[in-house]
């Protein structure tokens, strides 16, 4: 169990990792000391896609961490603030390398700045071509960035989290998943530090969101359908008809917000894979989902959430994705996915939300 304490200086709520006896506040950087634990926690493991145990991991805990973050801007002080975290990981030089993720990140930033008036100073880019060590998408830096994204947010704020990279699954340990698996995103150092699971993402950026604030996540990765663990999934047919599936955990765990609105556009269903492909742009590699999301907005097909997700689905459905490389998590699934891609596997972008709503009546905006 994580211990929740207040910063000894500014009283920000801190989530203390198991076994830690002190923590540095990411806001004021003061160190808060706690009593030493009486026992050492048992080691934890994650499961790879063939259900066997793999790397040993430290227990997860939402940021802040016991280290200062020089890049972290001050929390917003005025209503109507916009801020974004954009994460593009190519895993360059590894056997998992992806070609389109950096393009995705740059295109998303351009759109947020030029179409939705996000200040460049309020957009945090994490990419593995960065030279600044605090802007490389390591597990620690991604966790810190997610904490920064929501810290101090208030009514009127608009937040965006965009992730383009590998996704995976691991065995669900707390009984909140219908299919028995947690969805994950893979930091650039996932082989050493492990994956970031949907439970943690939900706890970090969904649960704290206050009334009047909104968050949009755009996650272009394999197995990403419910990667924010949001309670409701919009199931839409090819003709545009839809219904909301209730994904609230049977164990009663709260996966909603503190009154805010959260929407997640993801690359595919939990049991599908997402393509890294030149089939859509015809010029360079992109994530199929990121491309379809931006194209729908640029072509005026995003008046409502319903028209946006329907346009995204149609774009990918009508494209030839057979040359794509899936954004999967392990060597085994990489090999398996390359085989299934050649057989014509299709991906279906998904929309999940903190509350159900009329998809064709609710205007879309960032």
């Amino acid at each position: 169990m994580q211990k929740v304490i207040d910063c000894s200086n500014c009283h920000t709520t801190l989530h203390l990792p198991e076994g830690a006896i002190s923590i540095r506040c990411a806001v004021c950087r003061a160190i808060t000391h706690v009593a030493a634990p009486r026992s050492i926690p048992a080691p934890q493991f994650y499961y790879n896609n063939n259900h066997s145990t793999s790397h040993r991991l430290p227990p997860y805990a939402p940021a802040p961490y016991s280290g200062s973050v020089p890049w972290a801007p001050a929390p917003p002080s005025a209503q109507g603030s916009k801020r974004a975290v954009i994460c593009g990981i190519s895993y360059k030089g590894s056997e998992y390398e992806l070609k389109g993720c950096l393009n995705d990140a740059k295109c998303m930033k351009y759109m947020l700045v030029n179409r939705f008036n996000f200040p460049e100073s309020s957009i945090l880019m994490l990419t593995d071509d960065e030279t600044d060590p605090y802007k490389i998408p390591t597990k620690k830096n991604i966790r810190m960035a997610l904490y920064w994204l929501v810290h101090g947010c208030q009514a009127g704020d608009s937040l965006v989290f965009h992730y383009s990279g590998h996704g995976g699954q691991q065995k669900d340990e707390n009984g909140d998943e219908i299919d028995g698996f947690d969805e994950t995103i893979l930091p650039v150092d996932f082989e050493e530090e492990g994956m970031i699971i949907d439970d943690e993402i939900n706890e970090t950026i969904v649960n704290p969101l206050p009334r009047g604030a909104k968050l949009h996540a755009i996650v272009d990765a394999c197995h990403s359908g419910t990667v924010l663990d949001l309670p409701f999934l919009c199931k839409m047919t090819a003709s545009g008809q839809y219904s909301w599936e209730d994904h609230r955990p049977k164990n009663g765990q709260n996966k909603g917000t503190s009154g805010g609105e959260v929407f997640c556009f993801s690359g595919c269903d939990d049991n599908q894979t997402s393509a890294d492909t030149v089939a859509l742009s015809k010029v360079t590699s992109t994530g199929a989902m990121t491309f379809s999301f931006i194209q729908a907005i640029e072509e005026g097909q995003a008046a409502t959430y319903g028209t946006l997700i329907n346009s995204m689905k149609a774009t990918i459905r009508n494209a030839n994705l057979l040359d794509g490389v899936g954004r999967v998590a392990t060597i085994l699934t990489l090999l398996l996915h390359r085989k299934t891609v050649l057989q014509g596997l299709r991906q279906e972008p998904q929309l999940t939300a903190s509350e159900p709503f009329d998809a064709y009546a609710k205007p879309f905006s960032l």
Side-chain angles (χ1 to χ4, degrees):
M1 294 290 292
Q2 297 170 7
K3 185 174 182 179
V4 178
I5 63 173
D6 289 338
C7 171
S8 59
N9 181 52
C10 71
H11 306 293
T12 296
T13 299
L14 308 176
H15 296 263
L16 187 72
E18 289 185 48
I21 60 174
S22 66
I23 188 169
R24 185 186 295 274
C25 178
V27 179
C28 71
R29 301 184 183 178
I31 296 176
T32 300
H33 297 276
V34 297
R38 294 187 177 182
S39 62
I40 299 174
Q44 296 190 3
F45 299 85
Y46 81 77
Y47 289 73
N48 60 26
N49 283 3
N50 62 5
H51 303 181
S52 61
T53 57
S54 187
H55 301 279
R56 180 175 296 184
L57 299 182
Y60 88 79
Y65 275 76
S66 56
S68 61
V69 184
W71 45 255
S77 58
Q79 290 191 348
S81 176
K82 294 188 174 188
R83 62 164 74 177
V85 168
I86 298 175
C87 185
I89 314 178
S90 68
Y91 313 89
K92 188 174 181 180
S94 75
E95 54 201 310
Y96 317 109
E97 185 169 352
L98 295 169
K99 302 297 184 183
C101 297
L102 299 185
N103 292 332
D104 291 347
K106 292 172 184 176
C107 290
M108 184 62 66
K109 179 180 179 180
Y110 182 88
M111 184 186 71
L112 292 180
V113 171
N114 292 281
R115 180 167 286 273
F116 294 102
N117 300 314
F118 276 66
E120 284 199 54
S121 60
S122 295
I123 298 177
L124 175 57
M125 292 276 287
L126 301 181
T127 58
D128 46 7
D129 64 347
E130 272 283 351
T131 57
D132 183 339
Y134 294 99
K135 293 184 179 179
I136 295 172
T138 63
K139 185 174 185 177
K140 180 175 181 178
N141 287 346
I142 293 174
R143 283 172 155 181
M144 285 300 301
L146 293 178
Y147 175 79
W148 166 82
L149 182 64
V150 299
H151 181 75
C153 69
Q154 55 192 318
D157 289 353
S158 177
L159 315 177
V160 170
F161 170 52
H162 174 243
Y163 172 86
S164 181
H166 279 306
Q169 292 181 306
Q170 70 178 42
K171 186 177 179 181
D172 172 35
E173 299 290 353
N174 63 0
D176 67 341
E177 297 284 348
I178 295 174
D179 62 358
F181 290 92
D182 285 316
E183 283 63 54
T184 66
I185 59 175
L186 276 66
V188 69
D189 59 350
F190 76 94
E191 290 184 289
E192 296 80 27
E193 298 298 327
M195 303 182 280
I196 298 176
I197 68 172
D198 51 7
D199 292 343
E200 176 177 354
I201 299 171
N202 181 279
E203 184 174 341
T204 305
I205 64 175
V206 175
N207 287 166
L209 200 71
R211 187 172 303 279
K214 64 180 178 180
L215 165 69
H216 289 85
I218 303 99
V219 182
D220 199 344
C222 290
H223 310 298
S224 55
T226 61
V227 72
L228 258 65
D229 256 3
L230 294 174
F232 298 96
L233 170 67
C234 181
K235 298 296 289 186
M236 183 173 287
T237 67
S239 63
Q241 296 177 315
Y242 75 92
S243 61
W244 288 97
E245 283 186 358
D246 189 340
H247 281 238
R248 286 175 291 187
K250 293 182 179 179
N251 63 9
Q253 187 175 357
N254 177 29
K255 292 291 185 175
T257 69
S258 296
E261 292 183 296
V262 180
F263 313 90
C264 180
F265 294 91
S266 50
C268 59
D269 208 343
D270 286 344
N271 61 359
Q272 292 181 327
T273 48
S274 294
D276 196 52
T277 180
V278 298
L280 293 172
S281 75
K282 311 298 183 183
V283 176
T284 188
S285 291
T286 65
M289 179 267 188
T290 299
F291 182 94
S292 67
F293 179 81
I294 293 175
Q295 178 178 270
I297 293 170
E298 294 297 326
E299 293 186 350
Q301 300 298 313
T304 67
Y305 288 86
T307 56
L308 174 53
I309 190 66
N310 196 32
S311 175
M312 292 169 62
K313 287 174 176 284
T315 296
I316 293 178
R317 190 165 52 242
N318 295 333
N320 176 12
L321 298 182
L322 301 186
D323 294 328
V325 175
R327 297 177 170 197
V328 287
T330 66
I331 297 174
L332 175 63
T333 48
L334 276 170
L335 294 173
L336 290 174
H337 179 244
R338 286 191 180 118
K339 181 177 180 181
T340 54
V341 164
L342 293 175
Q343 295 171 349
L345 181 69
R346 301 288 182 174
Q347 68 182 87
E348 286 281 337
Q350 302 294 317
L351 170 63
T352 54
S354 53
E355 295 289 344
F357 59 91
D358 187 334
Y360 289 109
K362 191 175 185 66
F364 168 79
S365 66
L366 295 178

